[in-house]
Amino acid sequence: MTIHDMALLDEWHPVLLSSALTDRPVPVIVLGEKLAVFRTSHGVHAFKDLCIHRGVPLSLGKVKGDELVCAYHGWSYNGCGTCTRIPSLPADRAIPPKAKAFVYACVEVYGFIWVCLGTPASPLPNISRYIPEGFKEVFMGPYTLQAAGPRLIENFLDVSHLMFVHEGLLGDSNFTEIADYHVVEEDGVLRSEEIIVYQPDPDGMGRGVHSRYVYEVFGPLTVAFTKRDRDTDHIFRLFLMVLPETEQQSKAFMLKQRNYAYEEPDEVFVQFQDLLIEQDREMVENQKPELLPLDLQAELHLRSDRLSIAYRKLLRDLGVTFGTA
Ligand code: FES
Ligand SMILES: [Fe+2]
């Protein structure tokens, strides 16, 4: 498949948690492209997952001496993709210059491995600029969902589903009205005004809270919300970064930050998020059309959907076509 979505081609996509990449290559999919990601003493690398010799996935191979060695006939590729050794070749013969792996840009920052298939718009994923320090952090996921990336993002930005899909946890069906709010754009970030939602159990700790939500959209597939407890100084921030594997299959990576309950074990928050994702899964995997319609006439919008509308406009302005219709 050839992709013409320059916005997503030039974007950094999270492909793995840093902790998931150890001493063996891992296959990943970005925008329909299969890649082998591996780690050497020089850093992290992403190759097209195909050995030029006989087309075996390089991710079946192993990392040896800072090189990726193909499982089939042992061709060895260095981090630049150059083949440095062909075991069956007599020592006096030169390695053909065409013996190369196709290399993609790959970096490791902020606990994730990131890949860019095109020309990176910035040297590093810009998300680290938006992740404040000094909070207790938990990584969640990645969650694989049979849904388009933009559908997942829009679900995350959707306030008025909380009282139904997550009733008893993130919302209460007796308190469903959403007061008017606006969305502003500052320095390329879309930001909602505060939206107050009553939440019976917003974080899995079983305590009801009036949460003041501010949503932020940092990029086509990178968003967050910050919730402040109306009555305490508790702050809860959740980042969602979506990897578009194919148009209708995505991986959701989440990072949660908080300034309270420091002693609480990570599993409490992870298990709670696992539950929420399963509730959302039923919606996003069944929505029609599967691809997010960017034509604002295509679905019916309310004022409380302002954020979704702003998000769809952003995708249209950026020219995002992968996962949209
Ligand atoms: S297919 Fe990779 S070395 Fe032959
Ligand atoms: Fe949800």
Side-chain angles (χ1 to χ4, degrees), residues 155 161-162 165-166 170 276 280:
N155 169 67
H161 85 290
L162 299 178
V165 176
H166 310 296
L170 304 187
L276 298 177
D280 283 321

Side-chain angles (χ1 to χ4, degrees), residues 202-237:
D203 57 6
M205 294 180 60
R207 193 177 58 89
V209 166
H210 281 90
S211 297
R212 301 183 300 174
Y213 270 82
V214 171
Y215 290 90
E216 291 174 297
V217 180
F218 304 111
L221 296 173
T222 309
V223 290
F225 64 65
T226 305
K227 292 202 267 194
R228 283 164 204 275
D229 183 336
R230 194 185 62 180
D231 306 311
T232 67
D233 55 3
H234 291 182
I235 297 176
F236 170 133
R237 188 176 280 121

Side-chain angles (χ1 to χ4, degrees), residues 23-290:
D23 56 351
R24 44 177 57 221
V26 177
V28 303
I29 307 173
V30 182
L31 298 168
E33 183 76 15
K34 291 185 177 165
L35 313 178
V37 177
F38 63 103
R39 182 190 288 288
T40 66
S41 68
H42 307 298
V44 292
H45 313 271
F47 290 175
K48 190 181 177 76
D49 199 6
L50 194 77
C51 180
I52 191 162
H53 179 220
R54 286 294 176 268
V56 160
L58 287 170
S59 58
L60 294 178
K62 55 184 167 210
V63 183
K64 217 172 135 191
D66 281 341
E67 303 211 333
L68 182 53
V69 182
C70 180
Y72 205 3
H73 311 95
W75 291 24
S76 185
Y77 300 90
N78 68 18
C80 305
T82 306
C83 182
T84 61
R85 188 172 127 78
I86 296 181
S88 61
L89 202 63
D92 57 348
R93 296 235 200 104
I95 291 171
K98 272 196 178 164
K100 274 181 160 299
F102 196 93
V103 182
Y104 291 104
C106 185
V107 294
E108 178 169 29
V109 66
Y110 223 83
F112 299 96
I113 315 289
W114 308 78
V115 167
C116 174
L117 296 189
T119 311
S122 55
L124 289 176
N126 63 7
I127 186 66
S128 50
R129 264 201 291 150
Y130 303 111
I131 299 185
E133 289 178 11
F135 287 76
K136 175 92 177 160
E137 297 188 331
V138 187
F139 291 91
M140 294 147 158
Y143 303 100
T144 299
L145 293 128
Q146 301 305 318
R151 281 280 189 204
L152 294 190
I153 295 286
E154 197 181 77
N155 169 67
F156 184 90
L157 299 175
D158 181 301
V159 202
S160 58
H161 85 290
L162 299 178
M163 304 78 185
F164 296 93
V165 176
H166 310 296
E167 164 139 52
L169 302 173
L170 304 187
D172 181 327
S173 56
N174 295 310
F175 303 98
T176 53
E177 283 182 23
I178 310 290
D180 267 359
Y181 65 90
H182 291 94
V183 178
V184 292
E185 198 236 281
E186 275 170 333
D187 298 332
V189 177
L190 290 180
R191 194 169 284 121
S192 76
E193 288 177 335
E194 266 186 6
I195 307 168
I196 298 186
V197 182
Y198 172 69
Q199 307 201 289
D201 183 12
D203 57 6
M205 294 180 60
R207 193 177 58 89
V209 166
H210 281 90
S211 297
R212 301 183 300 174
Y213 270 82
V214 171
Y215 290 90
E216 291 174 297
V217 180
F218 304 111
L221 296 173
T222 309
V223 290
F225 64 65
T226 305
K227 292 202 267 194
R228 283 164 204 275
D229 183 336
R230 194 185 62 180
D231 306 311
T232 67
D233 55 3
H234 291 182
I235 297 176
F236 170 133
R237 188 176 280 121
L238 188 64
F239 288 84
L240 168 66
M241 288 150 269
V242 171
L243 166 67
E245 291 186 315
T246 67
E247 281 210 279
Q248 294 182 31
Q249 178 175 295
S250 310
K251 271 206 167 83
F253 292 84
M254 294 179 127
L255 170 62
K256 177 196 151 96
Q257 298 184 305
R258 66 182 191 277
N259 71 348
Y260 62 96
Y262 287 112
E263 304 305 319
E264 203 69 17
D266 287 357
E267 297 77 69
V268 172
F269 301 102
V270 173
Q271 283 169 12
F272 187 67
Q273 195 59 45
D274 292 352
L275 168 66
L276 298 177
I277 288 282
E278 289 316 308
Q279 294 177 333
D280 283 321
R281 178 188 299 281
E282 206 186 346
M283 302 301 119
V284 296
E285 292 192 346
N286 287 298
Q287 275 176 291
K288 295 280 183 276
E290 286 85 353

